[in-house]
Amino acid sequence: MSDQDGAPVLIDPAVSYTWPEVDLSMLWCSPRPPESERFFAVYADHAPLLDGWQERMPLLHLRELLSTIAHGDDDWGAAAAVREIPAPFRKHHRGSPTTPDRAVVVARDRE
């Protein structure tokens, strides 16, 4: 493929028109060497990130984890990560940690 002047062009089939943090989550949440911290520091110097970006990485990476599971590749624990990431939100919405989940109560009533 080429542009109007005949120069070669590249089309990225995985292009994403989302927040830059979504793309960063692919790198941040995957197994990576400690030296990768340099990449994130340089990235932040060139394109400043909003406060709290590191805390948002797992939640933004959730879609990729679900895709990994759907493709049958859970060798590195994607299913466990999917269960852990939303855990703080479930506890917050249920109220007390000892309050039974509504689905559990309904299931018990049907027994």
Side-chain angles (χ1 to χ4, degrees):
M1 182 165 259
S2 61
D3 66 9
Q4 293 174 350
D5 298 325
V9 296
L10 172 72
I11 295 179
D12 182 355
V15 70
S16 170
Y17 289 102
T18 61
W19 308 301
E21 288 183 3
V22 173
D23 290 333
L24 281 180
S25 75
M26 301 288 248
L27 299 169
W28 182 264
C29 296
S30 299
R32 56 189 165 87
E35 297 82 14
S36 65
E37 293 301 322
R38 172 93 175 108
F39 167 81
F40 294 102
V42 170
Y43 185 97
D45 284 345
H46 290 284
L49 298 164
L50 298 174
D51 290 341
W53 71 271
Q54 293 158 322
E55 290 80 24
R56 288 187 294 277
M57 291 294 102
L59 189 58
L60 292 170
H61 194 60
L62 192 55
R63 184 226 156 265
E64 183 62 23
L65 292 170
L66 292 169
S67 175
T68 299
I69 294 167
H71 288 92
D73 183 18
D74 188 25
D75 293 345
W76 56 273
V82 167
R83 285 189 291 276
E84 291 173 20
I85 291 168
F89 301 100
R90 285 194 305 265
K91 290 176 185 173
H92 174 74
H93 290 293
R94 285 186 188 162
S96 168
T98 59
T99 303
D101 183 83
R102 183 178 174 351
V104 172
V105 172
V106 170
R108 276 192 218 134
D109 289 344
R110 291 183 182 166
E111 292 177 351

